[in-house]
Amino acid sequence: MLLGRTLDTRMLALQRQGRVGFYGAATGQEAVNVAAGLASGPSEWVLPGLREQLVALVRGHPLDLYLHHLFADARDPSRGRNMPCHPSAREVHYVSMSSVIGTQISHAVGVALAQRRRRDPGVTLAFFGDGATSSNDFHAGLNFAAVTSAPVLFLCTNNQWAISVPVGRQTAAATLAGKAAAYGLEGRQVDGTDLFAVYEALSTALGRIRSGGPPELIEFVLYRLTPHSSSDDPTRYQPADWAARARAHDPVARLERWLTDQRVLDPEAQARLSIEVDAEIRRSIADAEGTPPPPPESITEDVLAPAPSPGP
Ligand SMILES: Cc1ncc(C[n+]2csc(CCOP(=O)(O)OP(=O)(O)O)c2C)c(N)n1
Ligand SMILES: [Mg+2]
């Protein structure tokens, strides 16, 4: 969780310095991301919404490769062709996010059905935000998953905002979890700032689906603690005290408090951990900044097969 938090802080600063083009933080969503990385097994697939990059790292995608992606350099696995924060990590079954809101929900149902057809024991994890619950793909995906009993777990990170639209203007439904009932599915609301509650909810739901149970929906209630992305200014639309109130629901601070109360963490260990995490990130940043961009002639590779012959 600290790695995710520190990475967000560093990368937003680097974006402001003009060293990366774009960054979307997941600050406030670390408990969900770490718990999902830990609760999911190697045969699971992850189709992210906008803020699940840390899930790929927890599942084993190397931090330095993620940094190469953020800097779109020659060692970026997507070869500099995707927007920063859109990594794909085939080796850990992490599919690149689609910036088009909600589309991954119906894609995830297809992945889950393919898993079942191939007798692959895993479940597909479909992440999306509160805003995505108003998309056509949310309806199509949940409905199709329910009637086919696809092995998919729908995970809604309700961070209270879809850029400038608060969740209260997104839907008239009392909860997003309640929407599952329309499709004949179970929906649960879970405190997304409590690592242990999230881990418990994810592990038990994954267990039920792995053993043949129907798809389920979990709504994680949490708070977006940073702007929507590096291209956003929430002071133009959030109430003046919103950010301060939201910070009372910081999952990293909550876990730190608990670990300190349990005497697992003391200030010295905490400081050491912060220094280690920061050093690891700085090393990966230096490595990425020292790597040249992909060679221009690579731009047509992997795009067309066969490659067109050069003109006369
Ligand atoms: C189909 C579509 N409409 C609009 C946008 C512009 N857009 C990008 S992110 C976003 C809000 C997403 O909100 P939410 O689903 O709650 O996810 P969050 O950003 O809060 O994680 C919008 C409207 C888009 N990318 N795709
Ligand atoms: Mg949202």
Side-chain angles (χ1 to χ4, degrees):
M1 289 170 72
L2 190 62
L3 178 84
R5 177 63 57 93
T6 312
L7 191 59
D8 280 355
T9 310
R10 290 284 298 140
M11 293 313 298
L12 280 174
L14 261 53
Q15 196 279 338
R16 289 298 185 251
Q17 293 165 10
R19 289 156 70 183
V20 287
F22 170 88
Y23 191 73
T27 306
Q29 307 193 185
E30 294 89 347
V32 169
N33 287 342
V34 168
L38 296 175
S40 56
S43 52
E44 253 87 52
W45 280 82
V46 180
L47 275 77
L50 275 64
R51 306 180 197 280
E52 282 73 35
Q53 298 82 2
L54 189 55
V55 180
L57 297 182
V58 176
R59 282 174 64 82
H61 186 59
L63 178 67
D64 62 335
L65 280 190
Y66 182 43
L67 266 299
H68 287 301
H69 161 73
L70 290 174
F71 282 86
D73 68 34
R75 289 176 58 206
D76 170 10
S78 40
R79 313 185 79 196
R81 295 184 186 136
N82 217 339
M83 208 174 155
C85 295
H86 292 55
S88 42
R90 184 189 287 271
E91 80 286 3
V92 296
H93 291 186
Y94 183 93
V95 178
S96 173
M97 79 145 112
S98 158
S99 269
V100 186
I101 297 302
T103 50
Q104 76 281 9
I105 303 173
S106 44
H107 298 164
V109 181
V111 172
L113 291 173
Q115 284 182 290
R116 185 163 70 194
R117 183 170 291 192
R118 290 163 54 160
R119 300 186 195 289
D120 168 348
V123 173
T124 302
L125 284 75
F127 283 94
F128 48 90
D130 43 289
T133 62
S134 302
S135 71
N136 295 340
D137 286 285
F138 175 81
H139 168 71
L142 269 74
N143 190 60
F144 201 64
V147 293
T148 57
S149 199
V152 55
L153 179 56
F154 297 107
L155 301 166
C156 178
T157 50
N158 176 4
N159 63 7
Q160 318 299 322
W161 294 93
I163 311 185
S164 56
V165 179
V167 70
R169 284 182 58 203
Q170 193 68 246
T171 179
T175 69
L176 301 176
K179 292 185 177 229
Y183 308 101
L185 299 178
E186 285 289 332
R188 287 180 184 75
Q189 222 180 21
V190 172
D191 181 342
T193 69
D194 178 343
L195 178 72
F196 303 110
V198 174
Y199 183 81
E200 171 72 14
L202 283 169
S203 330
T204 53
L206 284 170
R208 285 188 293 269
I209 302 172
R210 282 182 200 126
S211 52
E216 299 182 21
L217 168 65
I218 303 177
E219 172 192 355
F220 292 115
V221 179
L222 35 79
Y223 298 82
R224 198 189 80 199
L225 300 183
T226 39
H228 170 76
S229 73
S230 53
S231 315
D232 177 43
D233 174 9
T235 62
R236 297 180 59 149
Y237 57 81
Q238 280 181 343
D241 62 342
W242 198 87
R245 283 190 287 119
R247 272 197 291 277
H249 303 278
D250 178 337
V252 177
R254 181 175 181 168
L255 186 63
E256 273 170 7
R257 274 197 306 276
W258 187 83
L259 291 171
T260 306
D261 287 350
Q262 298 297 310
R263 300 183 191 284
V264 175
L265 194 66
D266 58 35
E268 204 180 295
Q270 198 170 338
R272 207 170 41 241
L273 196 60
S274 298
I275 291 168
E276 278 170 22
V277 163
D278 196 52
E280 192 186 350
I281 291 171
R282 282 174 191 274
R283 257 196 316 274
S284 295
I285 290 173
D287 188 22
E289 280 196 310
T291 306
E297 59 276 16
S298 71
I299 200 160
T300 55
E301 289 168 14
D302 309 324
V303 177
L304 299 169
S309 56

